[in-house]
Structure formats: C-alpha cells, structure tokens
Amino acid sequence: VKRTAPVCLTSAWGSQYWTLYSPPRRELAQIYTHERIDLSKPGAQTVRVRMSGFHNGASDLAASGYVFLTDCNKSFLVYSTGKPNAWDTIQCELLSRVLGPTGVTAPFSLADLRAWRLEVAMRHGRARPTLTDAQNRVVPLYGLNLRTQAGHALAPEIADDGVPTGDYLLPPNLAGPVKICGKVRLATPDGIREELIEKTVTPDAERAAKPVLPRLDLLGWGAPSYEFSTKSSHAAESMRQEIADAKAAGLTKLLIHARTSKETLYPSRIALPSTITEGDALALAVAEGRKQGVEIYAACILGVAQPDDLKAHPDWAMIGRSGKPEDWYCYNHPGVRAFHAALLAEIVTRYDVAGIALDYVRPGGGCHCPRCAKGFEAKFHKPIKNVGAYDDDWRAWQRDSITDYVRLLRGALRKARPTARLVGYMWARFAPDKDRAIQDWPRWLKEDLMDFVAVGQYTPSTPWFRAECRAMRVIADRELGGRADLIYPLLGVGYIHRANPSHAAAAAVIHRHLQAAREEGMSAAGFFSFSEIRPHAETARAHSAVPSSR
C-alpha cells in the first residue's frame, strides 16, 4: 500500500467472498477468506485465502496482478497489485467504467484506451458524456466538471441511492444550441492524458420529460425446501398459497424445482427411488398455475450430481484436475446425456408444464476423465494435463461440450413435446463479451437452443445491477436482433435483504433495481429466490406488465 486510507478492504458479508479481476487476462474469479486488507497500514500485506467452489479457474490464480473488488455496497474499494499501485474509493457503475471521483481512470478499467472518442449526447433534457474506446465500447463519464461556454455549471444527476446516473443537468432557461466544455483525465497505456470535451448540443424541448418505460414480464425461480411443503397434509394448500403469492407479485412465470442435487420432487419412473420425495409437487404446481394464470416451469439441476447417481454409476462423475472424482456429472458421458434427456422428456410428457428450466448448465471446473482427455487431445493435439484454466483451447473445448449437451437436450424435448420450452439459469456478465462461466447463452438463444435465459445478477448495488442490465441490452441488440425479452436479469433478493437493515430499505433497493432494468431497455426481470420476494409483492407488482387487479 503506497497511499494509505483509514479503511479495511473486506467483502459483502464481512469477510467472505471477494471478487478478483485480472487486467492482463481480463478474467474474473471469486475467492473466500476470513481476512481483510488494512489499507491504513503502508507496505506489503499478505492475505491467506482458500479457493471456494464458486470460482472461474481460481485454482490457477497468479501471485499478483489482480484487483480486489467488494460486491456489497454502492461504494467499492479497489486495490491494484500491479503498477501503478493505487487505491481509490469509487461509486461503481460499469466494471468497464473510466473514471473514479478524482477524475482519473480506475486501475481495473476495461476500456481499451489505445484509441478513444469523446461524445456528449442529449437524452430527456440531460447531457450524457461518454467515451467510446478502441473496441467500440461506450462508457459513461463521471466526476467531470462540465460547464457551458458562458460559464454555467452542469450539476451531476444523483439517483435515489446517492449514486450518479451518468447524466448532467443543464441550467434552467437555456435556449438554442449550447456549447458544453470540460476536461477528462485518462490513464492510457502511455500514461495520464488530459483531453478536452467541447460539444455543442441542443436541449430537448421537454427538458424534464422522461420516457414511458416498458413494464416488465416477471418470473420467480423457486427452491422447494423453504417455499412449499411436500408433506401430503400441507402440500395442496402450501402450493395454492405459493402460486397466489406469485400472482400477487405480478409474476407470469414460476420455476418450481422438479429435481435438485439431492431430491426428485415428482414420482419419476427414471430417477432412483431413494431420491423421490413424498407426494407430487409438480402436479400440484401445474394444476394451481392453470387455475390462477401463472405459467409453471419444471426446474432441474443437471450439473451438480445427485450422490446416489454417482454411487450407482461411478463413471458418470466429473474428474477434476487432481484426478479425483467430483460431485458434478461429466457432460460428455453418453450415459449422463441419455439419462438427462430421458428425465426432461418424462417431465414434459407427463406434466403440462410450460417448459424445463435448467440450473447448473455449465461445465464447472471441467472434466479430465479419460474420455474427455482423449477427445480434447484429438481435437487440439496436446494433452489435457498440460493446459491451464485460462488456456483458450481448453475453454473452447468446455464451451463446445456444454453447447452440444444443450443441443441434445433441446432435441429430446422437441421430440417429446414440440411446444415445451427450454430455458436456463446463467451467470451474470460484467461486460457483453466476458463469459464468466463458459455458458455461451447468446449463441444458444441465437441458434434457438433455448427460448429464454434467466441471468443471476446478485448485488445490492443498483449501479452494478444497472451496469449488468446494460451489458444484457448490448447482447440483445448485437446478437439477438434487439430481443431483450429473451433475457431475464435476476435480482438476488436475499443479498439485498442482508445488505439493508429494514424491510423498507430492502424494498427501496428492489424498486431501484427494477426501475434500472426498465430504464436500460429490459422488458423482463426475475427474482431468486422467489420466497424472498414474497414480502415485497407490491414493490414487484408496481413494475409488472400484468395489470393490477385492483
């Protein structure tokens, strides 16, 4: 630490998960630690970490060159171990943002400043300065001292949560073209550069007018252990209440687990009997959904393996880099693929669900079993044991394997019932091009392998959530012909609860998140888990496309 600060760098829940970003690799990873970095003390510090199961190749983390990011509050403290060493407290909008409050580029910026273009646009009576980098990424500029040529200051617009929106308010009563002036400091590969902004804009006729925003199609992703009872004495009423709560919150879709990593929640003829719970929760959900006008999707965890399956079929297990079996299925194993395809076909044949929702549809740490090793070597002409987690060929192999798996499941579903939809849960992207979990879901949507996706954007920070929605909108415009309705950004309601001291404070954040999704051009959103949005039904309903029954 070369510049001390009277703070400690910690994580969302005190001292647990941290997010790392590597500028050279453009990679994100999450680690788990009980320690903190005390930035009030100068000099080198050591933090002991153990890698969690929630990482992106974290077992291969380099010794240095990473930026540490917290992920809880609207203010983020960053510390770069690269050069130059620096810290700064920033109000984070985009991971690829350019400026901290000091006007200097944050050390973890994703903007490619080999070339850039500065613009100022008018939107709804407000000026928005942006930078377009060498890769045509558009980044809003914050912390600028903008003025008109006549010397009138432009005040930054501040959102309800105290974070700048990226827009600047023009002084009242300005008429005709207005010249806006300011300076931007950029941390380029050749050092700090100071650039002038000089743009002439024409204020909108309706200076304070805001657009009519699209309302949201809402879904809830369920989990059975704390949402409905599977006991026969309570199951029917429990499910009726759950569907009623979904309807009250303005949801059109509810994803009910049919199969978890431990249980099968319907009387399957294919799954092992030891995993099947009492009753038939799926049948109850379908019947109640039909009565109350809520679409029911059967959610299935098909990545993390049920232990009994691996006992019965040890060769189905994913083999980790260490050579030991892990608690994931090998997606390339023909037996695994046939079993999962049969499960999905069984569900849509026996139940009138709207479709199947896949969870954990990602390759995890990647399989190193003999079958995968042989296939990888045949394709890329090098042994799998020598590749690192960030090897381009290894990532391509994983990406193609999981895509082939999804394509097979899509085919099985269409054969069983052509009208049944296939959807999936995806990890969030901090930038449109950065796939965190090797889930090429834009391709899956574009090639009609899935009907829509739910993207887990679990942060209590509205600016961060807004940034992720913006990335989703870019993907929709660039890859999907503008079909933002195929992407459901998911609010992590539990994260919001834990980061706020009261029901009212949490409700206000949920409102701001949903409002941000609408402002960024999304037409759908969702909640994980559904049980945690139930106390906020009115807040959700206020943004729903479903007309109020009042």
Side-chain angles (χ1 to χ4, degrees):
V1 177
K2 292 189 175 181
R3 294 174 55 195
T4 59
V7 289
C8 289
L9 175 56
T10 185
S11 68
W13 298 286
S15 295
Q16 292 184 30
Y17 289 104
W18 294 25
T19 298
L20 299 175
Y21 175 68
S22 168
R25 298 181 179 185
R26 297 178 62 191
E27 288 289 350
L28 288 155
Q30 288 181 301
I31 61 172
Y32 179 87
T33 176
H34 287 292
E35 299 193 29
R36 302 184 299 173
I37 294 179
D38 185 351
L39 295 187
S40 66
K41 298 177 180 179
Q45 297 186 42
T46 300
V47 176
R48 298 181 181 276
V49 302
R50 65 181 181 85
M51 299 307 172
S52 75
F54 302 96
H55 66 266
N56 186 10
S59 57
D60 273 4
L61 290 181
S64 63
Y66 279 86
V67 175
F68 290 77
L69 306 173
T70 63
D71 64 351
C72 180
N73 300 310
K74 66 185 180 186
S75 291
F76 290 70
L77 190 71
V78 301
Y79 174 72
S80 171
T81 60
K83 294 181 179 181
N85 288 331
W87 65 266
D88 202 354
T89 301
I90 62 172
Q91 291 177 311
C92 191
E93 172 80 9
L94 284 174
L95 187 63
S96 58
R97 59 170 303 166
V98 173
L99 299 174
T102 59
V104 178
T105 307
F108 63 89
S109 171
L110 284 176
D112 183 348
L113 296 182
R114 293 174 298 172
W116 61 85
R117 182 175 71 254
L118 300 176
E119 301 286 346
V120 178
M122 293 300 301
R123 43 179 258 165
H124 322 309
R126 295 157 173 80
R128 165 159 287 208
T130 59
L131 177 144
T132 303
D133 74 357
Q135 299 182 37
N136 288 318
R137 290 178 295 210
V138 179
V139 183
L141 303 179
Y142 300 87
L144 302 185
N145 182 17
L146 294 181
R147 294 182 174 274
T148 67
Q149 191 175 29
H152 300 292
L154 277 63
E157 183 181 49
I158 306 299
D160 293 339
D161 57 355
V163 176
T165 66
D167 291 338
Y168 291 76
L169 305 175
L170 273 68
N173 303 321
L174 289 180
V178 176
K179 188 174 184 179
I180 295 176
C181 308
K183 294 179 181 179
V184 183
R185 298 181 69 202
L186 304 174
T188 74
D190 299 322
I192 299 295
R193 285 277 301 272
E194 188 168 270
E195 293 287 326
L196 297 178
I197 290 180
E198 291 186 350
K199 291 289 182 179
T200 299
V201 300
T202 303
D204 296 346
E206 296 294 329
R207 186 178 302 271
K210 290 194 174 183
V212 176
L213 299 175
R215 299 178 73 83
L216 301 171
D217 184 52
L218 298 178
L219 67 78
W221 197 295
S225 59
Y226 44 82
E227 291 191 358
F228 58 81
S229 172
T230 58
K231 300 296 182 183
S232 58
S233 57
H234 301 283
E237 175 57 24
S238 176
M239 188 61 74
R240 186 202 66 76
Q241 187 61 57
E242 172 157 18
I243 306 299
D245 288 349
K247 189 175 181 66
L251 274 63
T252 64
K253 300 173 177 64
L254 188 60
L255 282 55
I256 297 287
H257 269 94
R259 182 176 167 87
T260 72
S261 58
K262 296 179 180 178
E263 301 173 304
T264 304
L265 291 132
Y266 70 98
S268 173
R269 298 161 188 161
I270 297 172
L272 293 175
S274 57
T275 70
I276 299 173
T277 61
E278 178 183 342
D280 192 341
L282 198 55
L284 292 174
V286 169
E288 277 298 331
R290 187 181 302 111
K291 288 179 185 177
Q292 300 193 44
V294 176
E295 289 185 354
I296 302 300
Y297 287 77
C300 296
I301 292 179
L302 298 185
V304 178
Q306 289 194 356
D308 286 357
D309 285 346
L310 298 188
K311 288 180 183 178
H313 305 279
D315 58 320
W316 285 10
M318 176 182 290
I319 304 300
R321 189 179 298 273
S322 66
K324 298 179 179 179
E326 298 188 354
D327 59 350
W328 282 65
Y329 296 107
C330 170
Y331 283 118
N332 290 319
H333 194 294
V336 170
R337 292 189 171 199
F339 175 58
H340 286 170
L343 280 172
L344 302 194
E346 176 185 56
I347 291 171
V348 299
T349 301
R350 292 174 52 191
Y351 298 90
D352 189 23
V353 292
I356 299 289
L358 301 181
D359 201 356
Y360 286 85
V361 58
R362 57 181 187 266
C367 187
H368 294 69
C369 72
R371 177 181 289 99
C372 291
K374 183 178 180 180
F376 177 84
E377 185 168 356
K379 185 171 183 178
F380 295 104
H381 310 293
K382 57 184 178 183
I384 198 172
K385 65 180 181 180
N386 293 338
V387 302
Y390 297 100
D391 183 274
D392 288 340
D393 292 338
W394 169 239
R395 294 177 70 84
W397 167 260
Q398 292 176 284
R399 189 176 295 110
D400 290 345
S401 293
I402 199 69
T403 296
D404 287 344
Y405 169 81
V406 172
R407 183 177 290 109
L408 178 140
L409 296 183
R410 176 63 143 184
L413 210 59
R414 282 190 166 154
K415 184 177 180 181
R417 177 151 64 87
T419 58
R421 298 174 183 170
L422 184 64
V423 307
Y425 173 90
M426 308 298 154
W427 279 23
R429 293 186 174 199
F430 294 103
D433 298 310
K434 194 62 226 173
D435 179 357
R436 295 177 64 209
I438 316 183
Q439 297 171 301
D440 197 1
W441 56 262
R443 176 185 175 187
W444 300 347
L445 292 173
K446 190 161 52 175
E447 295 184 6
D448 196 28
L449 302 183
M450 282 192 172
D451 291 283
F452 63 82
V453 295
V455 183
Q457 300 181 176
Y458 301 156
T459 173
S461 165
T462 299
W464 194 296
F465 183 83
R466 180 187 295 275
E468 291 173 325
C469 286
R470 191 169 294 156
M472 301 303 102
R473 181 74 234 192
V474 170
I475 291 172
D477 291 341
R478 189 177 61 194
E479 306 285 347
L480 308 173
R483 292 289 306 277
D485 60 305
L486 304 181
I487 306 172
Y488 288 71
L490 292 182
L491 282 69
V493 185
Y495 291 70
I496 295 171
H497 286 168
R498 289 187 288 271
N500 289 277
S502 70
H503 178 280
V509 173
I510 293 167
H511 163 72
R512 289 196 292 267
H513 275 40
L514 294 172
Q515 184 73 10
R518 296 170 67 189
E519 290 172 352
E520 295 304 323
M522 304 306 294
S523 55
F527 307 101
F528 185 90
S529 71
F530 164 69
S531 66
E532 293 173 304
I533 198 60
R534 293 167 93 166
H536 304 284
E538 291 186 7
T539 302
R541 188 71 183 233
H543 297 272
S544 171
V546 177
S548 175
S549 57
R550 293 180 180 178

